[in-house]
Amino acid sequence: MVLRYCLTIEPEVVRDTFGYHNIEEFPPRDGIWPGQPIVIVRNSHAQRREAVLVRWGLVPSWVRDFDKLGMLSTARIETVLEKASFRGGMRHKRCLIPANGYFLWRGPSGRKQTYIAEFEEQQVFGIAGIYEQWMGADGSEIDSAAILTRRAKGVASEFTERMPIMLGEADFEQWLDCRNFTDKEALELIESNSISQLQVRVWPA
């Protein structure tokens, strides 16, 4: 399970990597948890990339009672096309979540050591995600997202059973293009092209 990631890269580097221009700055964060606001990158209606702040924890648009909903912070790629909470997002609302590392834990209960998994030193990547826009009967609105996970591979499998789907720049366009690439094509992309070669170090250094 992915419960915490970080985004500590300079905002201008993130902006240049993901190709959006509507957010100038945001504070670096070395501990981002479910339930907190996060930055996602998506295609606008005009098919231009935009960065927006949403809640980490998906709220499907068809949910009536928000208070009774559990925290849908992750979605498994093995079932994302089947589950009602996620399949609409896979078809029409795919996004990227900028990050430069996510956290792993190992050791006995109460004395677990924290590690950070990174793609390359100080290089930002995109976690594959889906988002939703929910509106309550009282007119309240919640924009939210979940990150996609797969069975852990490589060094990450020594720490956990699941890992986030991480994409490099070459795959951003196809993943975000919900008009020209179907949900099945997008799933094939992340199954074959997601990053699995990581470096893991103790956190904090």
Side-chain angles (χ1 to χ4, degrees), residues 31-76:
I32 304 172
W33 301 82
Q36 295 182 342
I38 61 174
V39 176
I40 69 167
V41 179
R42 67 189 183 191
N43 278 352
S44 69
H45 292 299
Q47 291 298 288
R48 296 186 61 186
R49 291 185 193 174
E50 61 180 7
V52 295
L53 290 173
V54 304
R55 171 186 181 267
W56 183 8
L58 194 77
V59 182
S61 59
W62 46 264
V63 166
R64 293 185 178 181
D65 193 342
F66 166 71
D67 292 330
K68 293 183 179 180
L69 183 70
M71 184 66 72
L72 301 178
S73 57
T74 62
R76 294 173 175 244

Side-chain angles (χ1 to χ4, degrees), residues 83-149:
K83 291 188 176 294
S85 296
F86 305 130
R87 61 187 178 219
M90 271 295 291
R91 290 172 184 164
H92 308 297
K93 295 184 174 72
R94 299 192 295 268
C95 66
L96 291 163
I97 299 154
N100 59 283
Y102 71 94
F103 292 90
L104 301 163
W105 291 268
R106 185 163 63 184
S109 179
R111 293 187 296 164
K112 289 185 180 295
Q113 174 66 59
T114 303
Y115 298 81
I116 184 169
E118 301 164 312
F119 177 33
E120 289 180 4
E121 188 67 25
Q122 294 299 299
Q123 181 169 346
V124 65
F125 52 81
I127 299 177
I130 55 177
Y131 70 94
E132 282 287 0
Q133 297 166 309
W134 178 87
M135 179 174 290
D138 60 355
S140 58
E141 298 181 22
I142 297 175
D143 290 343
S144 62
I147 70 176
L148 271 61
T149 68

